[in-house]
Amino acid sequence: MIPQYILLPLLASYSTAVQISVAKSGGNVTSGLQYGAMEERINHCGKGGLYAESIRNRAFQGSAKYPSSLDTWSAVGDSSLSLQSLSSPLSSALPTSAKVKGNRTVGLSNEGFWGIDIRPQKYSRSFYVKGAYKGEFTASLKSATSEKTLASVKARSKSVVDDWVQHKFVLSPTKAASDTINTFSLTFDASKTSDSSLHFNLISLFPPTWNDRPNGMRKDLMQALKDLGPSYQKTLRLGLVEYMEWCDDLEMEPILGVWAGLAVNGDVVPEADLDSYIGYPEPWKIRYVEVGNEDNLNNGLSTYKAYRFSAFYNAITAKYPDIQVLASTIDMTIPGKAGGDYHLYDIPDNFITKFDMFDSFSPEHPILLGEIAATEYNNGVGVDWSSIDFSLYPWWIGSVAKAVFLGAERNADKIIGATYSPTMLSFNADPDQTVRSTSWHVYSLFNHNHLTNTLPATSPDAFGPLYYVAGHDNQTSSHIFKTAVYNSTADVPVSLSFEGVGRGSTAKLTVLTAPDAYSMNEVGGPNLVHSQTTRIKAGKKGVLSFKLPNLSVVVLKTDV
Ligand SMILES: *[C@@H]1O[C@H](CO)[C@@H](O)[C@H](O)[C@H]1NC(C)=O
Ligand SMILES: *[C@@H]1O[C@H](CO)[C@@H](O)[C@H](O)[C@H]1NC(C)=O
Ligand SMILES: *[C@@H]1O[C@H](CO)[C@@H](O)[C@H](O)[C@H]1NC(C)=O
Ligand SMILES: *[C@@H]1O[C@H](CO)[C@@H](O)[C@H](O)[C@H]1NC(C)=O
Ligand SMILES: *[C@@H]1O[C@H](CO)[C@@H](O)[C@H](O)[C@H]1NC(C)=O
């Protein structure tokens, strides 16, 4: 009896290593677009975020639901501000302007999106004015805390009574502000106007932008996106030109979403009127087009299935047979060679249960994982959309859960790639406070270890708590193993071998962990994701042995 007691624990610990053998052929070629970025007008991803505009509510725009307002604007001096819909507006798209009326030095000032970051650099842009004025305009940046003027510049008026005239300016602060509680103001001498007032619109101020693009993007956020290394970009809300330039700047593949005739309030364009929305011959190179966005929501699915999707699909494929058209949902029978876009906002646990959901899909209809985010803490059920209990930023267990789900990369023949929405950064006005989220670190690690093709991996053990994909990078000839450990009660020992990688071969093992499941990188706070890289050597029969902790995200890359 006694030897058995001694033997058992030894055998048990021996057999706990997950043994994985990876063959040298028989996998599938990847799309080359595994991890992308997605931009939508949520969480200030565009306005107040990537888009470098410093002035909030710059053109007093509104809608039936959110009427125009003077939000974030205040009167300077002894003046009054009012919204006006002039019979000759700046443009039909910008019908509302602000009237500034008063005596002597008056004007208006703006508090920015989250304040305004001021440092020694050039801020430039312009404003539009209407009204007779023979004087000067003063544009300035002020600290709201100290009330000190940090930069100021004068522009001679070219303003006339019956037209909108653009005035450009450049502001050059010589010192940084102590915080971002700063304002931009524009003043004039009302006594030199014909009726003590002037009309203003499209008041705009930009710090230096990425690649110095006029109307461009915030440098720090673009740098973080570039470091993330996304291979494609999907957009819903930026202007098309800004979007294309953004893709050029970061050398990303655009995936264009087109509006498919369903409004958020449920209004649907009738079939007879749909023609005017289809077709716009432009010379950008587009390989992927998605029709609509989440057309399964807002009661849109029945019309999408009945005619909206096929109208776009047929029109696009007739003219551009090489474009991969994607439906904005997979809750339908996808026709022809079209693909679909799958979105998942869920609790971390549900990403694990869905780990293998694409195994049974057909390669006929490639799927984009267009929006993937853990948004709510584990609660044993799923996301409660009526709850306001959503996590402000990604947190570690959610990021690990997503890493597990990204194992959909195993299905390279069916999955185009995965994006995360919204962009994975935490920021405010101050670029020094921008923090890359826990998910940013996961995506970045995976992105910088691209598979050009998957390789078949076999193991006597089922998936869980170790989830993985194996493959090859034909650029570097490296073998790659991406894995995440979720919900294990102890460290997981792994014995991994790649056919063709022999004893003595070396590999780099990068392990991401965080202090606990709830670690979150918050604006202005530290990065809590710990990255440790070690080099390991293959032993007998080329076996690479290592142990991985609970809640870790890992990439092993061999040198050959
Ligand atoms: C490659 O794709 C085929 C067809 O979908 C599938 O049967 C096979 O398992 C895939 N190979 C790997 C390594 O995923
Ligand atoms: C401008 O001054 C006049 C006369 O002092 C005064 O009646 C008027 O209210 C002032 N206008 C504004 C907008 O303050
Ligand atoms: C986590 O582990 C517990 C205990 O082993 C198990 O009951 C549960 O189903 C696991 N959860 C997930 C999402 O794997
Ligand atoms: C590398 O793999 C990609 C597919 O991911 C393929 O397009 C390319 O031709 C391959 N290059 C070589 C040198 O095999
Ligand atoms: C592993 O992580 C899961 C999820 O946070 C947790 O429930 C479990 O207790 C952890 N296991 C250990 C041994 O820490």
Side-chain angles (χ1 to χ4, degrees), residues 78 101-103:
D78 186 15
K101 189 171 170 58
N103 301 312

Side-chain angles (χ1 to χ4, degrees), residues 29-32 451-453 474-475:
V29 170
T30 66
S31 72
L451 305 182
T452 48
N453 57 279
N474 69 10
Q475 308 279 303

Side-chain angles (χ1 to χ4, degrees), residues 4 26 78 86 137 160 190 194 246 257 323 356 398 407 445 509 552:
Q4 264 188 17
D78 186 15
L86 301 182
F137 292 102
V160 292
S194 56
W246 179 10
I323 283 184
D356 58 359
L445 178 65
L509 183 73
S552 57

Side-chain angles (χ1 to χ4, degrees), residues 285-302:
K285 182 168 166 54
I286 293 283
R287 291 200 294 149
Y288 296 88
V289 171
E290 177 167 346
V291 179
N293 179 48
E294 297 184 340
D295 285 85
N296 49 324
L297 305 181
N298 305 312
N299 296 320
L301 191 59
S302 61

Side-chain angles (χ1 to χ4, degrees), residues 28-317:
N28 294 299
V29 170
T30 66
S31 72
L33 302 177
Q34 273 69 52
Y35 302 105
M38 183 268 191
E39 189 278 333
E40 188 178 18
R41 200 177 63 190
I42 47 179
N43 290 12
H44 288 282
C45 184
K47 274 191 206 166
L50 276 162
Y51 189 50
E53 174 64 81
S54 301
I55 306 297
R56 187 169 191 162
N57 194 19
R58 67 178 182 178
F60 317 100
Q61 282 171 289
S63 63
K65 194 166 175 191
Y66 301 105
S68 296
S69 74
L70 284 163
D71 278 0
T72 68
W73 290 101
S74 25
V76 175
D78 186 15
S79 65
S80 65
L81 305 185
S82 59
L83 290 173
Q84 307 274 313
S85 301
L86 301 182
S87 54
S88 52
L90 178 54
S91 77
S92 57
L94 303 176
T96 310
S97 49
K99 180 178 177 179
V100 182
K101 189 171 170 58
N103 301 312
R104 290 184 296 276
T105 302
V106 294
L108 68 182
S109 81
N110 187 277
E111 64 195 45
F113 282 90
W114 329 83
I116 298 175
D117 177 62
I118 302 182
R119 54 189 75 212
Q121 57 187 7
K122 279 197 164 62
Y123 294 75
S124 58
R125 219 45 200 299
S126 68
F127 55 91
Y128 288 79
V129 200
K130 187 170 184 290
Y133 174 47
K134 290 194 164 40
E136 283 175 327
F137 292 102
T138 304
S140 40
L141 287 167
K142 284 198 175 84
S143 161
T145 321
S146 69
E147 293 185 3
K148 277 206 182 104
T149 298
L150 300 161
S152 173
V153 69
K154 288 190 191 307
R156 177 135 290 278
S157 168
K158 298 178 280 177
S159 186
V160 292
V161 71
D162 54 359
D163 203 3
W164 286 97
V165 180
Q166 185 181 20
H167 290 71
K168 296 187 176 174
F169 62 88
V170 175
L171 283 161
S172 306
T174 52
K175 275 200 300 201
S178 55
D179 54 34
T180 57
I181 312 172
N182 303 307
T183 59
F184 167 76
S185 62
L186 200 54
T187 55
F188 61 98
D189 182 350
S191 69
K192 296 181 179 165
T193 63
S194 56
D195 68 347
S196 307
S197 69
L198 289 174
H199 299 273
F200 291 87
N201 206 348
L202 197 52
I203 304 170
S204 177
L205 176 75
F206 274 73
T209 58
W210 181 262
N211 276 1
D212 290 323
R213 295 246 187 222
N215 220 14
M217 307 290 184
R218 241 173 89 161
K219 280 181 154 183
D220 64 311
L221 301 181
M222 284 293 272
Q223 186 65 51
L225 274 182
K226 186 182 162 74
D227 295 347
L228 176 72
S231 45
Y232 68 93
Q233 160 68 256
K234 178 186 156 176
T235 197
L236 295 167
R237 301 293 177 121
L238 274 186
L240 192 54
V241 172
E242 286 86 359
Y243 170 62
M244 289 302 179
E245 289 175 344
W246 179 10
C247 292
D248 283 352
D249 280 354
L250 294 189
E251 294 170 22
M252 296 186 287
E253 176 81 39
I255 296 181
L256 182 68
V258 298
W259 187 64
L262 172 71
V264 184
N265 67 3
D267 287 353
V268 171
V269 176
E271 189 163 10
D273 300 342
L274 207 55
D275 274 3
S276 59
Y277 294 94
I278 299 167
Y280 189 82
E282 276 289 309
W284 306 100
K285 182 168 166 54
I286 293 283
R287 291 200 294 149
Y288 296 88
V289 171
E290 177 167 346
V291 179
N293 179 48
E294 297 184 340
D295 285 85
N296 49 324
L297 305 181
N298 305 312
N299 296 320
L301 191 59
S302 61
T303 50
Y304 195 67
K305 290 204 289 201
Y307 65 88
R308 289 189 300 113
F309 178 70
S310 54
F312 283 89
Y313 174 65
N314 294 339
I316 295 166
T317 41

